[in-house]
Amino acid sequence: MTRLFNDPAAFADEMIEGFVSSHSRWVRRVSGGVVRNSRSTPGAVALVIGGGSGHYPAFAGLVGQGLAHGAAMGNLFASPSAQQIYTVAKAASNGGGVLLGYGNYAGDVLHFNQAQARLRAEGIDCRSIAVTDDVSSAPPAEHAKRRGIAGDLTVFKVVAAAAEAGYTMDQTVEIAERANHRTRSFGVAFSGCTLPGADHPLFSVPEGRMAVGMGIHGEPGIEETDVPTADELAELLVAKLLTEIPDGGMASGGARRVVPILNGLGSVKYEELFVVYGRVAQLLAEAGLEAVDPQVGELVTSFDMAGTSLTLFWLDDELESLWHAPADAPAFRRGAVTAAALEATDFTDLAEIEAAIPYSSDESRATAARVVAALGAAKDVVDANVEELGRIDAVAGDGDHGIGMERGVRAAVDAAAAAVARGAGAATTLHLAGDAWADKAGGTSGALWGMALRAVGDAFGNTAAPDAGAVAAGVAGAAAAIMDFGKAAPGDKTLVDVLVPFRDALAGGVDAGRSLTKAWGAAATVAQQAAEDTAQLLPLMGRARPHAEKSLGTPDAGAVSMALIVRAIHNTLLEETVEETVEGKTVKENA
């Protein structure tokens, strides 16, 4: 288990500070992550990679000359926010465009696509490559749905070398797609991992058993078997990967060469890996394959997870040349690289600058104070249910939903309170709260809740006190934004299964002339039932999709948290009072 930490909530930030302090020859910190601390070639494509923390040396350990130009670093097991990615990309850009690289997880896809859209809107040529090497996460016919694990390294390495060699953006993207197509990985786990401050692992594997196909966030494997010998494990890994030889992989000549990567996930020792690799090498040779530059060690970890994965990168002549190109990063070095260190005048400090607070009316500022109260109620209910939300999420996912929601809502409350203290109106308060939620929570839920708060803020504005119609319009805007960006629909077993009926019930109550309090209360009841009903659905989106049958009978964690929050907000509406004058006397009654 993870033993060394201070405040678990501050672990990721403190880890980044320590990493930068100990590796300042290679990296410097910017808001959202790290970038190279050496001069890059002007006009070259910049490779910006990223993902959740907890997987070192991915991703920050791969920033340096000949490798990535920057890494956006999310919270523990949570994707970085769009703002973090955007800031790192701006700091890393050399004028030749930015290629974003990440593992294919729903939260990463959402946030990196948001950042890409923002960069493109500013005239920066920005493309993306989502690594999809894990053969256990989807069948070959659905290759685009596979998640990215240790194969990140092969794709990022050759892409960076291409950029360093002066390839155009189109050429660099072609290399990225070719490398991704020629990379396959398969992993196993013997025990789960424990996040800092947690008293139990995110998942567990029975003593003496091995989870086959386990994901690096704790996503369940495809089956369990008895723990094999080292040779038997090597035979399992190689046999599985040789059933999926990419097109052209067994052609004559250079295409018969592979880079094997035996990766330790955190607790399997190097000596054990070497024993396994000895048999891997024999099996590859027996299959007529030449092992080129084998890599054995920790390359993509999962805290203290006991497990390993094997990656095969099927080379052609160009990919092999790029793989061997010099690189100098904290966790991956080869050949001789000469790079001048940056001076203070070589870069612009892109640390977040506090934005000016736009004008707002007295009425809107009063609404902003009510927003803080509503967010505070959401925080309280999430804090009270964080362990249960994690338990529900762990049935078919990675078990971090409660932790992510806790991080996000706490950040939102702090940001909203600070905005109100500076005189912000309702829209500004909700926008800043949404950005903070997305930044700190990361993951899919962070992106979606950030969008939801921003949509409600757009409907409220900064000049008037929103009526029930404006609130209903804000909820409708939130639902539209989430479904448009996340592509989920009712029936997919996501928070949309609660948000849509809640939206419809709230709009119906408001249209019927009911007060906001009564309309919201009735809609919250609908939301609660909708959340319970998700237990009978099979997930069609997100990390739980490959293990859909395991979640049958358990409600969706995102749906449950949505229902809890809308009920908590209703309680704040019940507590609010208005003063009215009746026959010369001031009385208070429920709003």
Side-chain angles (χ1 to χ4, degrees), residues 290-520:
E290 178 185 350
V292 175
D293 190 28
Q295 302 291 311
V296 179
E298 293 184 347
L299 298 160
V300 177
T301 62
S302 186
F303 266 105
D304 57 333
M305 181 190 292
T308 185
S309 64
L310 178 65
T311 299
L312 293 183
F313 178 33
W314 297 79
L315 297 169
D316 59 28
D317 290 341
E318 185 177 24
L319 292 175
E320 184 170 2
S321 175
L322 294 170
W323 175 259
H324 285 302
D328 184 28
F332 193 90
R333 306 171 202 169
R334 64 153 38 92
V337 174
T338 301
L342 287 173
E343 303 292 340
T345 56
D346 290 330
F347 57 87
T348 301
D349 186 1
L350 292 178
E352 291 179 314
I353 301 173
E354 187 174 61
I357 296 295
Y359 165 80
S360 61
S361 67
D362 291 342
E363 294 84 356
S364 185
R365 288 194 293 273
T367 300
R370 296 171 69 181
V371 166
V372 174
L375 288 171
K379 171 187 171 297
D380 291 343
V381 76
V382 168
D383 285 347
N385 290 275
V386 64
E387 291 188 5
E388 177 62 8
L389 293 173
R391 184 196 67 79
I392 295 172
D393 188 41
V395 171
D398 56 13
D400 69 346
H401 182 72
I403 296 171
M405 288 292 292
E406 187 176 49
R407 288 193 299 248
V409 73
R410 288 182 177 182
V413 170
D414 290 343
V420 168
R422 296 170 59 208
T428 301
T429 298
L430 281 160
H431 288 169
L432 293 175
D435 290 346
W437 193 315
D439 266 352
K440 292 300 182 182
T444 306
S445 67
L448 300 183
W449 275 97
M451 279 191 266
L453 295 187
R454 275 196 155 269
V456 175
D458 291 342
F460 281 15
N462 280 324
T463 59
D467 58 14
V471 174
V475 172
I482 287 174
M483 288 191 289
D484 178 63
F485 203 83
K487 308 305 180 187
D492 287 346
K493 196 163 188 174
T494 71
L495 61 80
V496 168
D497 289 298
V498 167
L499 183 54
V500 167
F502 174 75
R503 174 202 65 188
D504 294 344
L506 178 63
V510 170
D511 291 344
R514 304 180 75 181
S515 69
L516 175 60
T517 301
K518 291 181 179 179
W520 189 288

Side-chain angles (χ1 to χ4, degrees), residues 4-40:
L4 300 177
F5 56 88
N6 297 311
D7 177 1
F11 185 90
D13 287 335
E14 293 180 348
M15 177 273 296
I16 296 171
E17 289 291 348
F19 169 72
V20 173
S21 295
S22 59
H23 293 85
S24 59
R25 178 167 80 82
W26 294 275
V27 300
R28 63 183 175 89
R29 187 167 190 181
V30 295
S31 179
V34 297
V35 295
R36 288 184 187 178
N37 202 20
S38 56
R39 289 194 179 97
S40 298

Side-chain angles (χ1 to χ4, degrees), residues 17 40 56 76 93 98 166 194 204 224 272 313 340 376 432 531 581:
E17 289 291 348
S40 298
Y56 190 83
L76 301 179
S93 177
V98 176
T194 306
S204 60
E224 282 185 4
E272 296 173 273
F313 178 33
L432 293 175
T581 302

